[in-house]
Amino acid sequence: MAKLKQVEQLKSNQNTLLHGFVILFPLLVISLLYSTKAVDAVLLPKFIAFAVFTIFINAVALKNAQAFDIIKQQLFFKIYVAYLSTSLISVYISRNFGDGVFEWLKLFLFGNSIFAISIYFYHHKKFIEQFVNAINILNAVIVIIGFVQFLIIFSKQHLTHTATYEVTATFGHKNIFAEMLFLTFPFTLYNLFTKQGKWKWLSGTSAFLTLFLITLTLTRAVWLATIAGFFISFPFYFYALIKGKKIKSQLKLYKKNILIIVLLCIAILSSILVYSRIDSFNTIKMQTLTISSFKYGSVGERFQLWKKSIQVFKESPIVGKGLGSWKIEVLKYGHKGLETENNITFHQRPHNDFIWIAAEQGIVGLLVYLSLVILLLFLLIKLILKSEYAHEKLFYFLVLYAYSGYLIYSCLSFPKERIEHQIVLAFLFSIVIINSTKKSSTNQNISNPFLFFIPLILISGYALKIGISRFVSETHLQK
């Protein structure tokens, strides 16, 4: 009897370690990878590691046959298969076949990782708690790195808008750094209002410094996501609190939400005060005013890119011009008045994910992509309204906040290309899918997932091969 308990305890410890690895490796290792040997110091190293992780999570998900049968029936994956299929057509018609294949493999790894994570964690009761703790650690790490970089810049030179571009953490660009700060920010709030002790203090400090750094990076897309995302998602949460059955416990948490607004205001106002002292308040003022200006600066440049991208879309509105082809097709429409007029700089993306999809994959690809977006928003709102406990409502509201903000800055940037964004979203989507399914205890008609996973692992292996090949090529180019 004693030996049986020891065996069970050993298995439990092994499972705990494995669960921890599956969450921590992608969030705390892959998201922070960086290599100066590649032309793009972050994209390929993270792509290679993401392919390795996808192979691994496919392999460990194999043992959960019951969850496989349930998860594979979910509408999200049926739509995603349709998206991969339309994207495969885009690869076939692309004038830039190599980049088209690479872009398709990124889409595949993203969808495959959501599928495998959903299966692996389907019966795991502490998935949300472990994910939130991991994302809080990730936020703390990038906040510390970014804050140290900020202090180094301040000690060496006068802080200006140009100097803020050196604050990148390990993401290669300050805009991506700001986007990752925002994407992890809501979950610092979750721990702040549901935890006690060290987690509460860590999350509170991280949340404050996150908003401080978001303001100082002067990234307008993230400013917009932080503010507009909150006002878009909060009404659903507020309505759910008022209509909740356990009104007393709901209202206690509701009162705490006043602190969220206070925290936002104090962090933002203090960062504005600090920046205005070391540079000029006029810089922040101009950044704010130019958010809606389509004539000047980077906003004006992006607006011109969007107009040219729409012209590319009109050439082939049904199926688009092909994955990876935007950077080639847009050249025919000239670059007068753009940064690329010097023939040294070339735009790789239109800085709008939706326009990018429309131009390369046509209205068919865009509609399928929007179907995924709408489905996820619907599932999130449903979870907020139907969750019984206050902490569950809070969590799903914060997921909705994060995803709404992501969609907002997707209109001004290109997060769908970046692996670190996709990793965070893969876990968020998996949580939403798992908790939107009806749990079943039946063991009838359980299929063998082995044959299903073989092609997934093979394609992930091919993605790994392509990633390594491109990385080696870029290291030679750097030399």
Side-chain angles (χ1 to χ4, degrees), residues 95-96 99 324-333 347:
R95 292 178 62 184
N96 188 8
D99 281 358
S325 63
W326 179 88
K327 67 187 79 171
I328 296 173
E329 300 293 341
V330 78
L331 294 174
K332 70 182 75 169
Y333 295 104
H347 288 293

Side-chain angles (χ1 to χ4, degrees), residues 139 142-143 147 164 167 174-186 206-227 264 267-268 271-272 275 284 287 401 409:
N139 176 270
I142 61 179
V143 162
F147 199 71
T164 63
V167 182
K174 66 109 175 173
N175 289 354
I176 302 174
F177 167 60
E179 290 165 4
M180 283 299 292
L181 282 174
F182 167 76
L183 202 55
T184 56
F185 167 66
S206 293
F208 185 90
L209 290 176
T210 295
L211 288 173
F212 186 84
L213 286 170
I214 284 174
T215 306
L216 287 182
T217 56
L218 303 175
T219 307
R220 290 163 295 187
V222 178
W223 287 1
L224 195 61
T226 305
I227 297 170
L264 283 165
I268 292 171
S271 57
I272 291 173
Y275 192 91
I284 292 179
Q287 284 291 100
Y401 176 28
Y409 65 68

Side-chain angles (χ1 to χ4, degrees), residues 228-238 384 397-398 400-402 404:
F230 181 82
F231 286 108
I232 289 170
S233 53
F234 186 74
F236 298 103
Y237 177 53
F238 182 76
I384 293 170
F397 151 61
L398 292 172
L400 180 61
Y401 176 28
S404 299

Side-chain angles (χ1 to χ4, degrees), residues 424-462:
V424 175
L425 290 183
F427 279 98
L428 292 180
F429 292 178
S430 297
I431 290 171
V432 172
I433 291 165
I434 289 170
N435 290 282
S436 296
T437 60
K438 292 181 179 179
K439 296 292 188 292
S440 174
S441 59
T442 180
N443 290 321
Q444 296 178 358
N445 300 322
I446 296 178
S447 59
N448 185 352
F450 183 79
L451 293 177
F452 188 92
F453 274 99
I454 290 298
L456 299 183
I457 293 173
L458 289 175
I459 297 172
S460 298
Y462 179 68

Side-chain angles (χ1 to χ4, degrees), residues 91-127:
V91 174
Y92 179 75
I93 64 174
S94 177
R95 292 178 62 184
N96 188 8
F97 186 75
D99 281 358
V101 170
F102 181 64
E103 292 298 322
W104 188 86
L105 289 171
K106 277 195 288 185
L107 296 176
F108 172 82
L109 290 177
F110 179 52
N112 187 187
S113 63
I114 298 170
F115 182 68
I117 291 169
S118 299
I119 292 171
Y120 179 75
F121 284 107
Y122 185 74
H123 296 293
H124 187 49
K125 294 179 181 179
K126 293 186 177 181
F127 182 26

